[in-house]
Amino acid sequence: MYTTDLSGKGKGKAEAAVAEDPALVAAFEARVANDEFIEPKDWMPEAYRKTLVRQMSQHAHSEIVGMLPEGNWITRAPNLRRKAILLAKVQDEAGHGLYLYSAAETLGTSRDEMTEALLSGKAKYSTIFNYPTLTWADIGAIGWLVDGAAIMNQVPLQRTSYGPYARAMVRICKEESFHQRQGYEIMMHLAAGTEAQKRMAQDALNRWWWPSLMMFGPPDDKSPNTEQSMRWRIKRDTNDELRQKFVDITVPQAEAIGLTVPDAALKWNEERGAYDFGDVDWEEFYAVVKGEGPVAKERMQARVKAWEDGAWVRDAARVHAEKRAAAKLAAE
Amino acid sequence: MSDASKEWPLWEVFVRGKGGLSHRHVGSVHAADAKMAIEHARDTYTRRMEGVSLWVLPSAQITSSDPGDAAALFEPAEDKVYRHPTFYKIPDGITHI
Amino acid sequence: MDAIATYALRLGDDSLILGQRLGEWCGHAPALEVDLSLANVALDQIGQATHFLNLAGALEGEGRDGDKLAFHRDVMDFTNCLLVEQPNGDFAQTIARLFLFAHYQELLFTALTASKDARLAAIAAKAVKETAYHATLVSDWVVRLGDGTEESRARMIAGLDWMWRFVDELFVMDEVDAAAIEAGVGVDKSALRGAWDQRIDAVLADATLERPAARRPVLGGRSGRHSEHLGHLLSEMQFLQRAYPGATW
């Protein structure tokens, strides 16, 4: 899954103030403009490094926190096939978090540092995961809409300028290809099921539609870092472009299974060859970014608990390895 | 909460995709010891039949060339075209060469 | 259900309940990599459960498939051993349960590959590779926790202590086993105990741990007499099927 860049306005100014050799900066910019890959030991502007660490760690945090809403249904999946699929999918999210943390680690930030930033509330993650999964249909809606939005964001990032990030994204995109399909299949099944199942499916679409549109981030005119990030090939399409693309692709998918997108303003615009759609509630978006999502506290509590409960395990393995290494040394 | 010395070390993971191929770098894992690193590599990087063999190597043990030396290291090879078979013109009709 | 169908059912129930328990860890493990490891074990168990339960249903011949068996039986009809339904507890308790069970399962499946029932033998042949890995993975954790810190050692001892009363049940033979052996289909579980003891003792020695003292076994899982934990596990697992009778998913 994905996170958009949720940093506030004005970040990066202090970073830009650091004096950097203009020749190095120019050479770097030229390489990036030429679609070359930047690798860990290459020289890079400090602002590029910091932006990347922030973006990759936010992305990784989103994968990890994103395990929770879906994980909520692993023990209640309705049959053995769905249980295995869901478990495999949530496990994939763990893997994706791992790949992304690893990519960020190549820039000199440890995973523990990033984890601490998440657990202390300093780091952001995608707003979408602060909404609750109430029924089984939410598992369908998340796969279909949330992973659908994520894929749209992630596919271009396979060509992002930072090599380790791009390689992680290639692996992630390959693995995610089943995520959206399994979600849509769940929705398709529910929409063709009993009245109760249809109601469940429509209710899930109603609740997840707008938060999914928010996943692309604030409108372009309120997205201060977009220009620099696009120049650096850290971002390859604007938020509004991707949001439009998502609406255009998803609306027919909803119609095909008889579900109604909850937007009275939704209308095909022949002239633009695209859907016109209603305004996203940006007030809600910014509130959720600030940590006021309906289940933000539960999500953080779960992560903190897992981390704190696991401390003795991590310590034990480390101490054991040290003991055995010392014993081996002594025996030699 | 975060103490660099307490974190499990980072290991680089290499997977042999199938018999006959060389091991290729695929990513990394954290692990307290080498055996755990193999297990974590297996559980992370071979879930989709990606491999038949694994190498793990402590990331700290890798020595890499300096990007600043790239020109000196790699560009001198550019004009050694005679190392490539296509440099030589052999008349049509001569085979097995 | 006849003896052979019941035999497959028991194998399926063991894997199902253990898979369900391990699935509870997803998203909450001590480290990201460990989360992936536990999910892999859970997926293997759910896969095994699917095969064994589908086979049990087919052998029964009354139109029940694996899902019907998994989601539409009450506690008294579940035939899993008591060990696998024990709560996850802390990581050490989860490791203790998997440790004791995985070695049993690997030995059992190894023997089961010689079953005269080609379907059981085929499932066992696939599953034995999975459980061999589980046994290795979990044994390494027993050693790390046993010979780690004071705290991990105490927790590992407590985890084994919780689980130890359910060990004997793994090897108990009854009329179902007898009939399956008679038919050349089943495994003499009592004959596995020696090899199991050796494996467990070797790992415990490496972990600098004592084998827990022998105690009065708690039995009953195979005949539907379970712990209180199983009912809660089932009420969660079967919720959707119970709440929406007749719906398909």
Side-chain angles (χ1 to χ4, degrees):
Chain A
M1 287 181 195
Y2 158 83
T3 179
T4 185
D5 184 354
L6 301 170
S7 60
K9 290 174 195 172
K11 276 200 188 152
K13 276 181 190 156
E15 294 150 19
V18 177
E20 286 175 333
D21 182 347
L24 285 174
V25 174
F28 170 86
E29 295 279 356
R31 286 185 65 194
V32 171
N34 197 30
D35 273 336
E36 286 179 40
F37 288 105
I38 305 301
E39 295 295 339
K41 296 188 80 177
D42 291 346
W43 186 89
M44 62 189 80
E46 206 42 39
Y48 176 84
R49 180 187 300 272
K50 285 191 174 158
T51 305
L52 264 176
V53 169
R54 188 175 60 229
Q55 183 173 327
M56 285 190 285
S57 62
Q58 278 180 9
H59 193 159
H61 298 328
S62 298
E63 301 281 354
I64 300 313
V65 178
M67 295 172 73
L68 299 170
E70 289 178 286
N72 184 33
W73 278 89
I74 290 172
T75 57
R76 290 179 290 170
N79 57 43
L80 295 169
R81 174 174 175 267
R82 295 282 182 211
K83 189 186 290 292
I85 292 170
L86 182 58
L87 182 52
K89 177 184 189 287
V90 181
Q91 184 201 41
D92 273 352
E93 316 294 358
H96 299 170
L98 194 160
Y99 308 155
L100 288 159
Y101 282 129
S102 299
E105 283 172 272
T106 62
L107 292 173
T109 306
S110 74
R111 192 197 291 177
D112 275 5
E113 286 174 296
M114 291 184 269
T115 302
E116 186 182 9
L118 171 68
L119 300 184
S120 67
K122 268 189 284 178
K124 303 290 185 203
Y125 58 90
S126 185
T127 50
I128 195 85
F129 304 118
N130 288 330
Y131 293 88
T133 49
L134 304 180
T135 71
W136 173 250
D138 291 28
I139 300 308
I142 287 181
W144 174 33
L145 302 174
V146 176
D147 286 277
I151 290 163
M152 214 154 272
N153 273 305
Q154 290 176 162
V155 164
L157 288 176
Q158 295 178 95
R159 294 176 294 114
T160 191
S161 61
Y162 188 57
Y165 193 18
R167 290 191 286 277
M169 291 315 305
V170 168
R171 183 171 274 273
I172 288 171
C173 286
K174 204 156 87 185
E175 295 189 353
E176 288 237 336
S177 54
F178 91 83
H179 293 185
Q180 191 188 13
R181 294 175 75 101
Q182 66 85 33
Y184 190 67
E185 191 197 69
I186 289 173
M187 291 303 262
M188 208 166 67
H189 216 87
L190 295 175
T194 65
E195 278 310 311
Q197 286 176 307
K198 275 182 215 166
R199 183 174 153 239
M200 198 187 273
Q202 183 62 52
D203 176 62
L205 174 57
N206 293 349
R207 283 181 289 111
W208 290 94
W209 176 255
W210 292 106
S212 298
L213 294 192
M214 292 176 196
M215 284 178 70
F216 297 96
D220 293 349
D221 57 7
K222 301 238 169 47
S223 184
N225 298 325
T226 292
E227 193 205 324
Q228 177 179 267
S229 288
M230 293 198 46
R231 183 163 46 86
W232 280 344
R233 309 289 201 263
I234 295 171
K235 187 179 175 108
R236 310 223 46 155
D237 299 277
T238 74
N239 297 349
D240 286 335
E241 283 165 8
L242 288 170
R243 190 166 13 248
Q244 179 72 56
K245 196 172 158 195
F246 176 77
V247 171
D248 291 344
I249 287 176
T250 311
V251 170
Q253 293 171 349
E255 286 169 353
I257 55 176
L259 296 178
T260 309
V261 172
D263 179 358
L266 187 75
K267 192 164 175 272
W268 178 253
N269 183 326
E270 196 63 52
E271 205 173 306
R272 289 201 305 128
Y275 281 96
D276 293 334
F277 56 96
D279 292 328
V280 174
D281 182 352
W282 293 114
E283 189 274 324
E284 175 178 323
F285 171 76
Y286 287 112
V288 179
V289 168
K290 274 195 306 188
E292 294 174 21
V295 295
K297 288 205 184 304
E298 284 88 340
R299 298 291 182 249
M300 264 315 105
Q301 185 183 50
R303 285 315 310 157
V304 168
K305 183 173 190 317
W307 184 249
E308 288 179 354
D309 287 356
W312 69 268
V313 178
R314 297 189 299 275
D315 285 346
R318 181 176 46 79
V319 168
H320 172 78
E322 285 163 7
K323 275 191 201 175
R324 293 290 160 114
K328 198 175 163 210
L329 207 63
E332 277 168 6
Chain B
M1 192 158 40
S2 111
D3 174 352
S5 67
K6 287 182 76 176
E7 191 166 11
W8 291 346
L10 194 64
W11 301 69
E12 298 306 317
V13 179
F14 301 80
V15 175
R16 186 197 299 286
K18 57 179 181 180
L21 297 181
S22 54
H23 286 76
R24 198 171 67 90
H25 182 245
V26 292
S28 39
V29 291
H30 283 275
D33 56 61
K35 191 136 190 258
M36 191 197 277
I38 287 283
E39 287 160 358
H40 287 177
R42 184 264 189 194
D43 283 331
T44 303
Y45 292 103
T46 66
R47 288 173 295 139
R48 288 174 165 80
M49 301 179 292
E50 290 98 332
V52 296
S53 165
L54 283 166
W55 285 351
V56 292
L57 172 70
S59 307
Q61 295 293 316
I62 291 181
T63 307
S64 69
S65 63
D66 186 334
D69 296 340
L73 288 171
F74 309 116
E75 285 175 24
E78 277 174 14
D79 67 349
K80 312 290 193 298
V81 287
Y82 43 80
R83 290 194 198 272
H84 300 279
T86 47
F87 179 71
Y88 304 92
K89 297 267 181 295
I90 304 290
D92 291 348
I94 307 290
T95 57
H96 303 298
I97 187 163
Chain C
M1 254 188 203
D2 71 6
I4 308 303
T6 304
Y7 196 80
L9 184 73
R10 290 176 176 186
L11 295 168
D13 283 348
D14 279 357
S15 294
L16 174 64
I17 301 303
L18 182 60
Q20 174 77 4
R21 279 288 186 229
L22 290 170
E24 293 171 15
W25 271 103
C26 189
H28 308 279
L32 210 38
E33 286 85 351
V34 178
D35 217 304
L36 282 137
S37 293
L38 291 174
N40 275 342
V41 179
L43 283 168
D44 287 342
Q45 296 292 340
I46 293 165
Q48 293 165 14
T50 307
H51 291 303
F52 283 127
L53 293 179
N54 279 334
L55 177 59
L59 289 169
E60 183 192 44
E62 289 181 15
R64 292 201 284 183
D65 63 3
D67 284 330
K68 194 87 187 162
L69 289 168
F71 294 91
H72 294 275
R73 280 180 298 153
D74 199 352
V75 166
M76 59 191 144
D77 291 321
F78 266 82
T79 61
N80 58 280
C81 60
L82 298 171
L83 179 64
V84 291
E85 72 196 43
Q86 294 308 304
N88 285 340
D90 63 5
F91 185 70
Q93 186 165 315
T94 290
I95 289 297
R97 185 185 58 203
L98 183 61
F99 171 57
L100 304 176
F101 188 74
H103 284 283
Y104 156 78
Q105 211 181 25
E106 188 192 348
L107 292 166
L108 179 74
F109 288 163
T110 303
L112 195 61
T113 56
S115 172
K116 274 189 189 162
D117 186 301
R119 294 163 296 184
L120 272 179
I123 300 170
K126 176 178 178 294
V128 72
K129 295 173 201 155
E130 297 166 350
T131 54
Y133 178 71
H134 304 166
T136 303
L137 179 82
V138 74
S139 297
D140 290 344
W141 270 112
V142 170
V143 173
R144 286 185 199 110
L145 298 182
D147 188 22
T149 61
E150 280 309 309
E151 180 178 7
S152 70
R153 182 181 179 79
R155 286 176 183 269
M156 195 62 239
I157 290 169
L160 288 165
D161 181 64
W162 182 278
M163 299 297 169
W164 201 255
R165 61 200 145 134
F166 307 114
V167 165
D168 286 348
E169 188 188 32
L170 299 175
F171 304 97
V172 166
M173 301 284 287
D174 63 12
E175 68 285 356
V176 170
D177 296 289
I181 291 171
E182 176 74 23
V185 168
V187 173
D188 180 0
K189 289 189 289 184
S190 60
L192 305 177
R193 183 68 191 252
W196 185 88
D197 280 334
Q198 274 184 6
R199 283 163 162 246
I200 297 303
D201 288 345
V203 176
L204 291 179
D206 195 11
T208 70
L209 293 174
E210 300 279 328
R211 162 191 272 262
R215 61 202 64 185
R216 187 163 186 275
V218 184
L219 308 169
R222 300 297 180 206
S223 53
R225 298 194 175 170
H226 290 276
S227 65
E228 291 172 350
H229 306 294
L230 185 64
H232 293 283
L233 181 150
L234 294 183
S235 64
E236 187 172 345
M237 183 174 82
Q238 298 176 337
F239 155 69
L240 277 170
Q241 293 282 358
R242 299 284 189 191
Y244 299 91
T248 60
W249 304 89

